[in-house]
Amino acid sequence: EPEVTQTPSHQVTQMGQEVILRCVPISNHLYFYWYRQILGQKVEFLVSFYNNEISEKSEIFDDQFSVERPDGSNFTLKIRSTKLEDSAMYFCASSDLSRGSYGYTFGSGTRLTVV
Amino acid sequence: QKEVEQNSGPLSVPEGAIASLNCTYSDRGSQSFFWYRQYSGKSPELIMSIYSNGDKEDGRFTAQLNKASQYVSLLIRDSQPSDSATYLCAWLMDSSYKLIFGSGTRLLVRP
């Protein structure tokens, strides 16, 4: 079964440092997403990406966040200057949105801890 | 604000029973609904999708959608302890293809 791969599984960083979270979506998928889940809270949408550009971003996705698809396989989320409140699980997801397959496939997540 | 509402639970059922999970949503235009299962510390795993009114069955799972009442439910038959998890209801915004998640219902299946 194809899967979305995320690395690292756990990242600890000091407040103010930059982090890059990496994802390899399923190869024939065209739509890519980042979500986050603060401990005990809902899964929240951050950003969607299609055709090499952001298609939508949430209020959470401010100037400290950026996404990139540097090559044909990787999809990254960069947080420029981390804050304590950025501590969360970050999930990458991809979808081909073909008929009958609107559901996403999520990666296993990166647990980000900002200290 | 487009929302998905779920009872946080926990919903406790004995092994072998039917577990019934419910979800309401606020956007009448919603067309695509999903149930995800999430084990503690893990990512959401898609278990059912439903796009039209009525029932959809897949093994022990049945999803039910009633668009007039803005209500979607998930039935789990013959519940097993391994079904113990948080079940997330989600709907897809057709304009942007982003998923809006509910806060989830925690299900506990007692052996």
Side-chain angles (χ1 to χ4, degrees), chain B:
Chain B
Q1 181 79 359
K2 300 181 192 297
E3 293 285 345
V4 176
E5 298 292 334
Q6 293 183 258
N7 187 322
S8 61
L11 172 67
S12 180
V13 300
E15 184 173 354
I18 295 175
S20 177
L21 304 160
N22 305 310
C23 172
T24 57
Y25 59 94
S26 62
D27 186 351
R28 285 195 170 272
S30 303
Q31 299 293 328
S32 307
F33 299 88
F34 306 89
W35 283 99
Y36 282 82
R37 177 174 62 198
Q38 187 177 33
Y39 293 109
S40 181
K42 303 295 185 184
S43 61
E45 173 193 6
L46 180 64
I47 52 173
M48 288 288 286
S49 59
I50 186 164
Y51 309 126
S52 51
N53 278 327
D55 295 0
K56 179 182 176 184
E57 189 173 315
D58 184 0
R60 295 187 296 112
F61 299 99
T62 299
Q64 299 173 315
L65 175 60
N66 183 324
K67 291 187 179 182
S69 301
Q70 296 177 246
Y71 176 94
V72 59
S73 65
L74 180 71
L75 300 178
I76 306 175
R77 287 180 298 283
D78 188 24
S79 297
Q80 301 297 308
S82 58
D83 294 327
S84 297
T86 297
Y87 288 79
L88 309 176
C89 174
W91 64 270
L92 188 75
M93 285 188 68
D94 293 340
S95 56
S96 64
Y97 301 120
K98 74 179 184 188
L99 280 176
I100 307 293
F101 282 91
S103 54
T105 298
R106 193 156 65 96
L107 173 66
L108 297 174
V109 181
R110 309 186 302 272

Side-chain angles (χ1 to χ4, degrees), chain A residues 49-108:
Chain A
F49 193 87
Y50 170 69
N51 202 23
N52 286 321
E53 61 182 23
I54 291 173
S55 48
E56 185 167 345
K57 57 186 180 180
S58 72
E59 292 174 355
I60 302 166
F61 195 89
D62 61 22
D63 291 344
Q64 69 162 342
F65 290 91
S66 62
V67 289
E68 200 174 43
R69 189 157 162 80
D71 53 43
S73 58
N74 290 286
F75 180 50
T76 62
L77 174 69
K78 183 192 289 187
I79 310 175
R80 260 179 276 281
S81 177
T82 49
K83 306 185 186 96
L84 294 176
E85 55 264 37
D86 293 328
S87 295
M89 282 288 285
Y90 287 81
F91 297 112
C92 175
S94 69
S95 174
D96 64 2
L97 293 181
S98 59
R99 183 67 185 160
S101 181
Y102 292 114
Y104 302 175
T105 301
F106 282 86
S108 55

